[in-house]
């Protein structure tokens, strides 16, 4: 078998080092992609709306589940503030729908505070029927408009719960 001189050994060492650096870089890149994906999943969970029954501000079972998914995120991000906006469908007077939107936002906030989130971190507002999520004058549209939405400050640094 031929022997490898010093130059050959240096090329071999350089090749091994380059392969190790490429492997390490790929692992760091994969970890960063997963970190960013986890943050995006958390952001999506926090921003997901909850929905209400007609003429009601009670937290439904599906909404409770959605809010329960937000709790560990809010606990892991103790400095994060959120704003909850309450919405109503187009049926009813403007004044009634503004009040109903306020009740929905308040009920949502109350659920979070009853589960340990500081009230000072949560502001609420009602848009009544002013900002429909879906246009139309049927139950499909109305059911999408009876909701509470969540906002987080632009540029908020969110970490996934551990």
């Amino acid at each position: 078998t031929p022997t490898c001189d010093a130059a050959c050994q240096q090329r071999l060492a350089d090749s091994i080092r380059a392969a190790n650096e490429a492997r390490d870089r790929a692992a760091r890149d994969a970890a960063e992609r997963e970190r960013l994906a986890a943050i995006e999943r958390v952001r999506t969970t926090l921003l997901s709306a909850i929905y209400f029954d007609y003429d009601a501000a009670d937290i439904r079972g599906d909404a409770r589940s959605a809010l329960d998914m937000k709790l560990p995120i809010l606990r892991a991000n103790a400095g994060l503030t959120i704003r909850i906006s309450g919405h109503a469908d187009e049926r009813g007077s403007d004044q009634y729908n503004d009040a109903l939107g306020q009740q929905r936002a308040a009920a949502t906030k109350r659920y979070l505070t009853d589960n340990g989130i500081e009230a000072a971190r949560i502001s609420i507002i009602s848009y009544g029927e002013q900002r429909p999520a879906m246009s139309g004058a049927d139950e499909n549209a109305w059911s999408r408009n009876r909701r509470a939405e969540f906002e987080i400050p632009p540029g908020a640094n969110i970490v996934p719960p551990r």
Side-chain angles (χ1 to χ4, degrees):
T1 62
T3 60
C4 190
D5 63 9
C8 171
Q9 289 177 2
Q10 184 60 50
R11 283 192 306 275
L12 182 59
D14 290 347
S15 178
I16 291 170
R17 185 174 52 258
N20 287 339
E21 288 172 358
R23 183 198 64 222
D24 293 347
R25 193 169 36 257
R28 282 192 309 273
D29 290 350
E32 179 62 7
R33 280 192 305 276
E34 176 50 38
R35 186 185 75 78
L36 293 174
I39 290 170
E40 189 55 34
R41 286 190 300 272
V42 164
R43 194 180 237 357
T44 299
T45 299
L46 271 181
L47 295 176
S48 66
I50 62 168
Y51 298 92
F52 294 85
D53 290 329
Y54 174 68
D55 198 29
D58 300 327
I59 304 295
R60 302 186 323 198
D62 61 331
R64 207 173 294 112
S65 296
L67 291 171
D68 287 345
M69 292 175 64
K70 297 174 191 301
L71 290 169
I73 298 166
L74 292 168
R75 289 180 186 126
N77 293 274
L80 182 66
T81 59
I82 62 170
R83 182 166 81 166
I84 301 169
S85 57
H87 302 264
D89 64 36
E90 64 187 25
R91 298 172 291 177
S93 70
D94 290 348
Q95 183 179 1
Y96 179 82
N97 286 334
D98 286 343
L100 185 55
Q102 187 72 19
Q103 291 167 10
R104 289 173 174 165
T108 304
K109 177 178 180 174
R110 191 169 38 259
Y111 185 89
L112 295 174
T113 58
D114 287 351
N115 284 281
I117 306 305
E118 296 172 41
R121 294 174 55 196
I122 306 168
S123 63
I124 62 173
I125 189 168
S126 174
Y127 291 114
E129 65 185 72
Q130 298 170 37
R131 295 185 178 184
M134 180 180 238
S135 60
D138 60 18
E139 184 54 32
N140 185 45
W142 294 328
S143 68
R144 303 309 293 170
N145 293 330
R146 299 187 303 255
R147 70 196 188 281
E149 291 184 329
F150 301 82
E151 296 174 44
I152 52 178
N157 184 28
I158 301 171
V159 298
R162 296 190 184 262

